[in-house]
Amino acid sequence: MTREVPLLVELAWRCLECHRYGRCGKCTESGFCPVVEAARTRIRAWRRYRSVFGWRR
């Protein structure tokens, strides 16, 4: 049985990967991007949920 990562978490990881090598239109000159912050927050929340409730079958 494979354990699936939720779609929104997978998209958050892809967002971080894209921002590693480039910028989007919302990135500021200082390097801050609200899209990246939202992606990081989503991943942290998913990890917190997973650590409390564990993997569900």
Side-chain angles (χ1 to χ4, degrees):
M1 175 183 227
T2 61
R3 296 179 176 157
E4 293 186 21
V5 176
L7 177 62
L8 292 177
V9 175
E10 182 68 33
L11 293 175
W13 279 112
R14 289 182 189 179
C15 173
L16 293 181
E17 188 66 27
C18 289
H19 277 82
R20 177 179 284 175
Y21 301 110
R23 292 180 151 193
C24 72
K26 295 182 180 180
C27 292
T28 63
E29 291 299 319
S30 65
F32 176 79
C33 182
V35 177
V36 170
E37 289 303 313
R40 287 179 180 158
T41 301
R42 186 178 303 277
I43 291 169
R44 280 190 213 110
W46 176 67
R47 285 181 173 168
R48 211 170 26 250
Y49 175 85
R50 195 178 64 178
S51 70
V52 171
F53 295 104
W55 285 101
R56 302 276 175 144
R57 290 183 185 223

